[in-house]
């Protein structure tokens, strides 16, 4: 891979997009660097919400009048939009169910689908160094099954030492014919790496069900289910420029029983769904390939500067730090520690200089980092100037 180059035409493209985020342009003294927690919203999404609430606000699938019909059409149209956005090559077979976000989506699979799929003696793979949302639900499902006399073995996902990437070779050695379900993450929320999920299928074989936590990839880079043999994709709308409380589960419906959430289906978050449709339209128009190029280049600029400062430890693959590195890039997330300043204190110091970052343990599982850190996470509205200014402040703290 060649070094990321930020071309002039890409800078002009980015400036035009940044201008569409009112909260960003309205606070030029601040640099929002916490998009992995939640992304800011472009004007097109805000307008879609306003239009929906003032022209068609009603319940879905519960009325025959015009506003109710429009809302029902919105919900069904957005299901199709999600499938298309994810590059679904068989939408007539798959299913899309709306949730409040990734956490609820993963718990819905764990609670309503997984127990009916597993049998006594089966194995599941759980990524203990990923986000807690992709760990706890599977352990809860194991406990639920145990109370019913069905004993499921949990295999910890193996990781490569130092980089935080999945160890696909070790996984292939660990998995067996009873390995029925594998929980994975597309982009790691701490290390920023693409976890090479395509190698998971090679490691566990053609029959195992793979569930993908795509919270840090959907809305940040192109995602194609036509090119990825996974069975579930779960993501949060609020990380993909839509409103909080929106998200979806996409189910391929190719392995195991059909995915259908249990219980009575209540009122959906229709305004969140309206925002999600608008956000996906905006992202497609902006170009996810260019968004990825921009944020990856900014992350490389940041890591290249940080690696020259002895005061900092950068989490994740150490070979990916230099701007001219030929190894896989970080996807918009850079996490660091100061060797003498507590991460919480560093977060306060950075905010005093106008930088909004996250500084804690980032909800990582017990197999992950034991010490807090500062996470810088980027989106299309972030600029070269913000990265350079951040590096200047960090350098002053050596």
């Amino acid at each position: 891979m060649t070094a990321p180059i930020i071309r002039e035409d890409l800078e002009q493209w980015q400036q035009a997009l940044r201008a569409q985020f009112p909260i960003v342009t309205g606070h030029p003294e601040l640099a929002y660097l916490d998009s992995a927690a939640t992304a800011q919203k472009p004007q097109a999404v805000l307008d879609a919400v306003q239009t929906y609430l003032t022209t068609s606000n009603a319940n879905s699938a519960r009325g025959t009048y015009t506003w109710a019909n429009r809302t029902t059409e919105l919900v069904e149209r957005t299901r199709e939009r999600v499938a298309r956005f994810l590059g679904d090559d068989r939408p007539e077979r798959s299913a899309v169910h709306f949730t409040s976000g990734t956490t609820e989506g993963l718990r819905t699979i764990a609670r309503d689908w997984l127990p009916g799929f597993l049998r006594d003696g089966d194995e599941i793979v759980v990524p203990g160094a990923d986000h807690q949302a992709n760990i706890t639900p599977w352990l809860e499902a194991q406990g639920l099954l145990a109370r019913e006399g069905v004993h499921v073995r949990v295999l910890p996902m193996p990781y490569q030492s130092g980089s935080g990437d999945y160890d696909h070779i070790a996984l292939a050695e660990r998995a067996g014919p009873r390995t029925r379900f594998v929980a994975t993450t597309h982009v790691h929320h701490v290390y920023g790496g693409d976890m090479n999920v395509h190698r998971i299928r090679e490691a566990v074989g053609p029959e195992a069900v793979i569930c993908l936590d795509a919270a840090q990839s959907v809305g940040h880079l192109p995602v194609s289910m036509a090119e990825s043999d996974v069975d579930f994709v779960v993501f949060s709308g609020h990380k993909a420029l839509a409103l909080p409380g929106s998200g979806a589960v996409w189910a391929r419906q190719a392995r195991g029983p059909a995915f259908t959430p249990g219980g009575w289906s209540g009122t959906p978050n229709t305004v969140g769904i309206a925002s999600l449709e608008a956000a996906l339209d905006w992202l497609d128009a902006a170009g996810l390939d260019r968004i990825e190029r921009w944020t990856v280049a900014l992350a490389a600029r940041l890591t290249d500067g940080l690696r020259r400062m002895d005061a900092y430890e950068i989490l994740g693959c150490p070979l990916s730090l230099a701007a001219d590195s030929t190894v896989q890039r970080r996807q918009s997330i850079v996490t660091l520690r100061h060797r003498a300043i507590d991460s919480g204190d560093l977060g306060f110091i950075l905010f005093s200089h106008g930088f909004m970052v996250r500084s804690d343990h980032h909800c990582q599982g017990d197999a992950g980092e034991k010490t807090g850190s500062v996470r810088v996470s980027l989106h299309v509205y972030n600029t070269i100037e913000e990265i350079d200014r951040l590096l200047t402040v960090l350098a002053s703290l050596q």
Side-chain angles (χ1 to χ4, degrees), residues 15 66 208 360 397:
Q15 290 170 7
T66 303
D360 56 20
L397 299 175

Side-chain angles (χ1 to χ4, degrees), residues 245-262:
S246 63
V249 174
W250 173 89
R252 190 181 294 275
Q253 310 286 52
R255 298 176 179 91
F259 171 68
T260 303

